[in-house]
């Protein structure tokens, strides 16, 4: 809720994005809107997190449409800085390392991606922070999508390890009616590829069904389902601890599922690398 005129905001929500916004981003803004007096959305395509320069060049830039979507979603401020504002002296000389969390899964196939992501998130969290001299203390939250589960785990470590005064909020994945996790890159999928890609969420829902029933997950069945689709080139399907991203071997195959875990999947489908995930167990 926006505070009444003359009153001071007590809560501020920051939603960092790279633009090319879709309903998944609208869900981030909606959650921030529901929980904060003021909602700020940043739109910045961060060159440093693209390990492939061609991928950076072709990343969709749709600022006018983004601003319209953000107005409808209820954002108060859109912050869309130029590259020179974010990196006035060129790429930073002092960097935050994503450490062991950043070297696996997406980090293994996109070297440097998570360090580049942290370079900008470390700054955006400062740019968005409420001014320390406000008379009333302002609670500060930043919103990230569960879709990028590894990114979220790394940002949580950034905030914990470097003592940022911000609460990180995770917003559930938004899916198409057929189950495909929404992504700015889905627009590059042909019709047959988009149909084939549905096998990823089907495999994840199979695991969830078994986890909910406390059955063995049978990871091999989920993997076989994905491999049965010739247009989908599976990179990994793994069940991990949600915070450390360490594989949970005991929970994956023959023993009945217990506790909490995260199933992660990544695959190349036509020109697009797709990632998806599913929280297993828990409340
Ligand atoms: O998830 C994204 O869109 C980006 O990685 C982020 C967090 C905005 C940093 O550029």
């Amino acid at each position: 809720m926006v505070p009444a005129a003359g009153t001071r905001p007590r809560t501020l929500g920051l939603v960092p994005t790279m633009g090319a916004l879709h309903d998944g981003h609208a869900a981030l803004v909606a959650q921030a809107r529901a929980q904060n007096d003021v909602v700020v959305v940043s739109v910045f395509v961060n060159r440093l997190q693209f390990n492939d320069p061609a991928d950076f060049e072709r990343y969709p830039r749709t600022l006018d449409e983004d601003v319209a979507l953000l107005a409808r979603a209820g954002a108060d401020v859109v912050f869309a800085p130029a590259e020179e504002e974010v990196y006035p002296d060129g790429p930073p000389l002092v960097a935050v390392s994503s450490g062991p969390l950043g070297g696996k899964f997406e980090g293994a196939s996109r070297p440097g991606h998570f360090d580049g992501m942290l370079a900008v998130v470390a700054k955006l969290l400062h740019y968005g922070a409420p001014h320390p001299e406000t008379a009333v203390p302002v609670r500060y939250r930043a919103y990230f999508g569960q879709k990028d589960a590894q990114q979220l785990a790394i940002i949580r470590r950034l905030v914990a390890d470097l003592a940022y005064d911000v609460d990180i909020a995770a917003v559930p994945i938004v899916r198409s009616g057929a189950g495909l996790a929404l992504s700015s890159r889905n627009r590059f999928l042909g019709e047959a590829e988009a149909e084939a890609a549905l096998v990823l969420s089907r495999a994840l829902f199979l695991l969830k069904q078994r986890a909910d029933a406390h059955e063995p997950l049978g990871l091999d069945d989920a993997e076989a389902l994905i491999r049965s689709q010739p247009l989908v080139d599976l990179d990994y399907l793994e069940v991990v601890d949600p915070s450390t991203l360490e594989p949970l071997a005991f929970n994956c195959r023959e023993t009945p599922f217990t506790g909490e875990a995260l199933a992660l999947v990544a695959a190349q489908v036509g020109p697009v690398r797709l990632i998806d995930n599913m929280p297993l167990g828990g409340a």
Side-chain angles (χ1 to χ4, degrees):
M1 269 208 350
V2 182
T7 60
R8 288 177 182 279
R10 288 173 180 268
T11 49
L12 186 153
L14 172 70
V15 184
T17 80
M18 295 207 303
L21 304 181
H22 49 66
D23 287 351
H25 297 102
L28 294 176
V29 178
Q31 188 166 320
R33 178 74 284 161
Q35 296 177 336
N36 298 282
D37 296 331
V38 175
V39 175
V40 178
V41 180
S42 65
V43 177
F44 178 67
V45 186
N46 175 38
R47 183 191 298 272
L48 297 189
Q49 70 189 74
F50 289 80
N51 54 310
D52 174 3
D55 194 24
F56 172 72
E57 293 307 332
R58 76 170 182 161
Y59 192 86
R61 275 108 171 140
T62 56
L63 189 58
D64 290 346
E65 288 99 313
D66 293 345
V67 171
L69 179 146
L70 292 173
R72 287 194 302 276
D76 297 304
V77 177
V78 179
F79 173 54
E83 195 165 85
E84 302 72 51
E85 285 179 77
V86 178
Y87 302 120
D89 304 315
L93 295 181
V94 174
V96 186
S97 165
S98 56
L101 280 181
K104 52 180 97 176
F105 300 118
E106 286 313 286
S109 49
R110 302 174 67 189
H113 165 66
F114 288 116
D115 289 350
M117 178 279 292
L118 282 181
V120 81
V121 170
K123 292 187 115 173
L124 291 172
L125 291 176
H126 284 316
Y127 295 153
H131 198 280
E133 285 164 20
T134 47
V136 183
V138 178
R139 180 157 180 204
Y140 180 33
R141 304 182 179 101
Y143 293 78
F144 296 89
Q146 173 64 36
K147 158 104 182 344
D148 294 300
Q150 189 173 4
Q151 167 173 284
L152 184 62
I154 292 170
I155 291 171
R156 286 193 192 285
R157 287 305 333 175
L158 170 84
V159 165
D161 292 344
L162 299 187
Y164 275 78
D165 193 8
V166 59
D167 296 330
I168 299 299
V171 180
I173 295 177
V174 178
R175 297 180 181 279
S176 70
L180 186 64
L182 296 195
S183 159
S184 304
R185 291 188 165 89
N186 289 355
R187 67 189 74 195
F188 298 125
L189 292 170
E191 210 176 307
E193 291 159 349
E195 178 64 31
L198 296 177
V199 79
L200 300 176
S201 54
R202 285 195 194 118
L204 292 174
F205 277 107
L206 172 67
L207 295 176
K208 177 171 164 43
Q209 205 179 18
R210 290 180 175 170
D212 288 348
H214 303 291
E215 290 171 3
L217 293 183
L219 198 57
D220 295 344
D221 298 339
E223 190 172 324
L225 182 62
I226 297 173
R227 291 203 190 279
S228 71
Q229 178 45 260
L231 292 181
V232 175
D233 185 9
L234 179 64
D235 182 353
Y236 58 77
L237 172 67
E238 200 62 78
V239 173
V240 301
D241 177 290
S243 319
T244 63
L245 305 182
E246 284 299 319
L248 293 177
F250 70 91
N251 244 337
C252 288
R253 291 175 202 272
E254 278 128 37
T255 51
F257 177 82
T258 54
E260 277 185 50
L262 186 65
L264 298 173
V265 68
Q268 188 73 28
V269 185
V272 185
R273 181 180 174 81
L274 293 177
I275 57 171
D276 198 350
N277 67 83
M278 180 71 66
L280 304 176

